[in-house]
Amino acid sequence: MALQVKLPWDLEEDILSRLPPQSLVRFRTVSKQWNSVFNDKTFINNHLSRSRPQFILLTTSKIYSIDIIDHINIDPTIRLHEIPTYDIRSRGTDLNRTIIRTCDEFLFYNYKHWDNKTALWSPWLRQVRWIEYKNQEFCVFGLGYDNSRPEKVYKILGHMFCHGKVLRDQKVAIYECAADSLRFIDRPEDDDWPITEAAKRSNVSLNGNMYWLACSNYKTHDYYIRIFDFSTENFKLFCLLPCKRNHGIDELILAVYKEDRFSLLKQCSVTREIEIWVTKERISNNNGNSGEGVEWIKLMTLSTTNLPKLFGKSYPNSYFIYEKTLYMCDGDDETALACIYIVREDLCKKFQIGSGNSNCRHCVYTPNLLSLPFIIG
């Protein structure tokens, strides 16, 4: 008869905090204590600190999570997991028209000119919550939360699409997740609405606020970062970018760097050279609303051969920076098949994801895929 040894609880908790999300979900049924610890904030923070960086990739037929393995070493590789999608595809969701965003959880939304569907989705818990409002089309821009309260109050920014009205007459709307309610707010004073498709492709969430790129002068290619503060529910100018487009189709992509500041990727459409800029100091709630004193530094310039073409794509690109290495998710220039690129001064490594009907449609970077408590009204 095998001897059963009861481990100390702090050791059990430490072991669990090192497991991937897929395993944690299966283990929720082991005991009430294990199930409850997965919702504990201290456990969640420990798991976040040990999680590998990941991409969430949509192809034309599947959704994957992609772990970056040994990203701190000289020769990193990847691990692929297919995410079951029957929870969201049961309503006829078309992955060719799907965009996902992250802010602690997934924001999944599906654009169709005749049927706009939006859902909050926790794939590892297999929980999905569809957002529907009186048969009207709620067009989503992004997700954030009110950071002025002790508990996160999640909100979604978008507009109600009304047939027969021009886009500039659409009403700006806020959906409050916990209350399951939708209300209208004032439009931006400078009439910067609706949000452009370019802004939808490159918005990020940091400290609960939403940030995106906007253009102040299309002739001179001057760009800045714009913010929507979910606490005050106001649109504001945040800060100017450290560079501009030298050519009309140069690519600019905003991302979160080190989980508390911004990075900006610029690719020249002529040479394909990539510049990476980062903010010098962390973006806190104190300066995260005004952008006062934000200073940018150029982290690196990459002119390695075989760099993918990031500009002129019909879908958003995604990347993250670790030390002096760039990790990107994009479609192959010739085949459009989804690929992960790992680039630094002496390396441009490419991993192809899938084959056949696996063209890249959309990709987002997330530092982890831990299934936090699902937002229930």
Side-chain angles (χ1 to χ4, degrees), residues 53-55 201-202 204 213 251-257 259 261-266 274-278 296 299-300 302 310 316-322 325-330 340-341 343 363-367:
Q54 295 179 321
F55 286 106
R201 286 160 49 118
S202 186
V204 299
L213 302 182
E251 185 70 2
L252 295 173
I253 309 174
L254 183 67
V256 174
Y257 175 60
E259 311 311 320
R261 57 201 77 192
F262 291 126
S263 67
L264 179 74
L265 181 152
K266 174 188 174 183
I274 290 176
E275 295 178 3
I276 301 293
W277 296 78
V278 298
W296 294 84
L299 183 67
M300 57 184 173
L302 298 169
L310 303 178
N317 298 294
S318 186
Y319 75 94
F320 75 93
I321 305 295
Y322 186 86
T325 303
L326 169 66
Y327 299 83
M328 298 183 294
C329 184
D330 192 30
I340 298 294
Y341 295 87
V343 186
C363 184
V364 294
Y365 161 69
T366 178

Side-chain angles (χ1 to χ4, degrees), residues 184-235:
F184 299 110
I185 63 173
D186 294 334
R187 295 166 59 90
E189 292 182 0
D190 57 5
D191 206 33
D192 185 18
W193 193 268
I195 303 298
T196 64
E197 288 301 317
K200 291 178 181 177
R201 286 160 49 118
S202 186
N203 68 67
V204 299
S205 176
L206 181 61
N207 298 326
N209 297 323
M210 239 175 54
Y211 301 85
W212 65 95
L213 302 182
C215 185
S216 58
N217 190 320
Y218 285 100
K219 291 184 179 180
T220 59
H221 305 298
D222 291 323
Y223 282 79
Y224 63 96
I225 296 178
R226 194 162 175 81
I227 175 179
F228 181 76
D229 185 339
F230 278 94
S231 300
T232 62
E233 298 184 352
N234 288 324
F235 295 86

Side-chain angles (χ1 to χ4, degrees), residues 133-193:
Y133 190 74
K134 298 178 181 177
N135 297 321
Q136 297 187 57
E137 295 182 15
F138 180 46
C139 301
V140 171
F141 180 38
L143 174 68
Y145 57 85
D146 184 344
N147 57 36
S148 66
R149 304 185 189 183
E151 297 294 327
K152 293 179 181 179
V153 178
Y154 289 89
K155 303 177 182 180
I156 298 175
L157 174 67
H159 70 271
M160 300 304 297
F161 181 79
C162 300
H163 294 281
K165 289 188 176 182
V166 298
L167 283 177
R168 290 194 174 274
D169 290 334
Q170 309 299 332
K171 294 182 178 180
V172 184
I174 290 287
Y175 175 82
E176 294 199 17
C177 300
D180 191 22
S181 64
L182 189 141
R183 53 189 169 78
F184 299 110
I185 63 173
D186 294 334
R187 295 166 59 90
E189 292 182 0
D190 57 5
D191 206 33
D192 185 18
W193 193 268

